[in-house]
């Protein structure tokens, strides 16, 4: 009967829900411990000039292996860290460590660090940034912070103040995952943003998907008319790379040109690169 069927559905559903709740609880506990002990790793994904093929920088990406659940994606644990009020602490640690690593790279190689929307609301962020620069000796011009459109939506005035303080130190701001949020062109004008990163969901459908191709073309034109740099992320194939090069994007990042690697490996890779002649 329908009643019986309904009960069965309920019984099937409940254990899965309980499992999800338990996983979440144990991740939370484990994340608290990891954050107390700084048990995170940072990997670096190289960013290349799209025309010259040289490494111009690297993006710091956080890695965490939970003792119970194994490797957890930052797309899963960063939102939990935000909810638990741990993200500022974790994010400050990433900034400090990444700046120290980058200070050991050749000077033409820049560093990009992700900043979560919640971290951007922390009024101590500009101070954390200047402290990380002072402690590492990294030139502010070599640091770029990646924020998302969500961060600008949440708290307009506070975000603008914080970003302006950071920009005034000489640090650049880029808009990550562009095109996936509540894209509003007024952000680009209102906030001190010097780079747009085209989200990989568009790049990965190139060159055949007509909609994605139009969006990428439009973002590239927008960037050039606003004098902003453009990075395309998530490039996996030669044909995606060719399309991006034809659009005049400045930089490329993706598994085709380089996966995220450990700090020691990135140092070796960076050491083998030559200083671009026109830099
Ligand atoms: P994101 O900032 O957009 O970083 C790029 C993501 O795309 C990385 O995933 C990178 O490994 C992945 N990626 C790069 N090239 C390719 C490609 O060719 N194909 C595919 N399929 N993926 C590619 P990851 O490391 O898993 O990070 C996911 C997101 O987690 C990041 O997206 C960022 O939003 C967040 N995240 C990572 N590290 C941090 C951090 O230190 N702080 C904060 N607040 N967020 C972080
Ligand atoms: Mg430079
Ligand atoms: Mg990023
Ligand atoms: Mg992105």
């Amino acid at each position: 009967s329908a009643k019986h069927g309904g009960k069965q559905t309920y019984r099937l559903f409940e254990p899965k829900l309980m499992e999800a709740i338990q996983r979440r609880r144990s991740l939370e506990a484990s994340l608290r411990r990891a954050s107390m002990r700084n048990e995170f790793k940072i990997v670096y994904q190289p960013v290349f000039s799209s025309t010259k093929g040289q490494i111009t920088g690297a993006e710091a990406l956080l890695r965490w292996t939970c003792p119970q659940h194994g490797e957890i994606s930052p797309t899963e644990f960063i939102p939990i860290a935000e909810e638990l009020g741990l993200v500022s602490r974790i994010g400050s640690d990433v900034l400090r460590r990444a700046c120290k690593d980058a200070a050991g790279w050749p000077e033409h190689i820049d560093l990009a660090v992700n900043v979560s929307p919640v971290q951007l609301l922390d009024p101590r962020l500009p101070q954390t940034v200047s402290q990380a620069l002072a402690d590492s000796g990294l030139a502010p011009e070599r640091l770029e912070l990646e924020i998302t459109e969500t961060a600008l939506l949440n708290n307009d005035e506070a975000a603008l103040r914080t970003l302006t303080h950071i920009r005034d130190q000489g640090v650049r701001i880029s808009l990550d995952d562009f095109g996936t949020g509540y894209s509003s062109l007024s952000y680009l004008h209102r906030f001190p943003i010097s780079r747009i990163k085209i989200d990989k969901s568009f790049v990965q459908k190139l060159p055949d998907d007509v909609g994605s191709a139009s969006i990428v073309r439009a973002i590239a034109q927008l960037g050039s008319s606003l004098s902003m740099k453009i990075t395309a992320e998530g490039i996996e194939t030669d044909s995606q790379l060719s399309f991006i090069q034809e659009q005049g994007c400045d930089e490329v990042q993706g598994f085709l040109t380089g996966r995220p690697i450990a700090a020691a490996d990135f140092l070796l890779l960076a050491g083998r690169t030559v200083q671009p002649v026109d830099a």
Side-chain angles (χ1 to χ4, degrees):
S1 71
K3 208 174 169 187
H4 186 222
K7 262 192 178 163
Q8 266 185 337
T9 308
Y10 179 71
R11 263 192 242 111
L12 283 174
F13 179 68
E14 195 184 34
K16 276 207 178 139
L17 185 62
M18 286 306 296
E19 231 172 77
I21 291 168
Q22 273 159 7
R23 175 185 156 86
R24 169 67 189 229
R25 287 223 183 96
S26 94
L27 277 180
E28 286 179 358
S30 184
L31 197 58
R32 281 189 209 279
R33 276 193 302 273
S35 141
M36 296 299 292
R37 302 172 190 164
N38 286 334
E39 287 173 352
F40 302 95
K41 261 184 35 183
I42 302 173
V43 291
Y44 295 96
Q45 184 175 30
V47 176
F48 291 82
S49 151
S50 70
T51 50
K52 300 185 207 100
Q54 271 147 337
I55 296 188
T56 56
E59 178 173 5
L61 295 162
L62 207 48
R63 293 291 176 267
W64 177 48
T65 305
C66 169
Q68 291 99 320
H69 302 280
E71 173 118 2
I72 309 293
S73 163
T75 56
E76 184 174 9
F77 74 76
I78 293 286
I80 302 177
E82 287 178 337
E83 276 184 47
L84 297 179
L86 301 172
V87 83
S88 273
R89 184 196 165 97
I90 295 172
S92 303
D93 188 57
V94 172
L95 257 173
R96 268 194 301 272
R97 286 161 60 198
C99 286
K100 283 209 177 95
D101 285 341
W105 304 339
E107 278 180 8
H108 65 283
I109 299 183
D110 297 334
L111 168 69
V113 177
N114 292 286
V115 170
S116 107
V118 173
Q119 197 185 352
L120 193 64
L121 295 180
D122 184 343
R124 293 166 301 180
L125 183 63
Q127 171 64 28
T128 302
V129 171
S130 60
Q131 198 63 54
L133 291 169
D135 291 348
S136 63
L138 186 75
E141 294 71 29
R142 291 179 59 196
L143 178 63
E144 189 162 286
L145 299 187
E146 300 191 355
I147 61 166
T148 55
E149 292 157 280
T150 326
L152 306 181
L153 256 184
N154 285 346
N155 195 339
D156 224 32
E157 283 306 320
L160 181 59
R161 250 194 322 274
T162 299
L163 291 174
T164 304
H165 277 143
I166 291 170
R167 196 268 323 268
D168 289 348
Q169 295 178 35
V171 173
R172 281 161 296 136
I173 311 291
S174 66
L175 206 47
D176 204 355
D177 305 340
F178 190 75
T180 58
Y182 298 86
S183 298
S184 160
L185 298 184
S186 69
Y187 293 151
L188 296 177
H189 193 64
R190 198 161 130 72
F191 291 91
I193 291 157
S194 55
R195 177 189 302 275
I196 293 171
K197 296 188 77 171
I198 306 176
D199 190 66
K200 57 178 179 291
S201 61
F202 305 116
V203 175
Q204 285 175 344
K205 289 185 210 134
L206 296 175
D208 298 328
D209 184 77
V210 178
S212 296
S214 311
I215 289 168
V216 168
R217 221 176 269 124
I219 298 175
Q221 280 164 13
L222 187 69
S224 93
S225 57
L226 292 173
S227 301
M228 288 178 185
K229 299 270 190 196
I230 302 286
T231 301
E233 67 177 16
I235 294 177
E236 294 184 355
T237 69
D238 287 316
S239 56
Q240 288 164 359
L241 180 61
S242 309
F243 186 97
I244 287 300
Q245 286 169 327
E246 283 159 21
Q247 302 316 310
C249 293
D250 303 276
E251 261 123 26
V252 295
Q253 181 181 352
F255 291 173
L256 179 73
T257 47
R259 287 182 179 260
I261 51 178
D265 296 324
F266 186 78
L267 184 63
L268 290 175
L269 181 70
R272 284 198 298 269
T273 67
V274 259
Q275 171 87 40
V277 276
D278 59 344

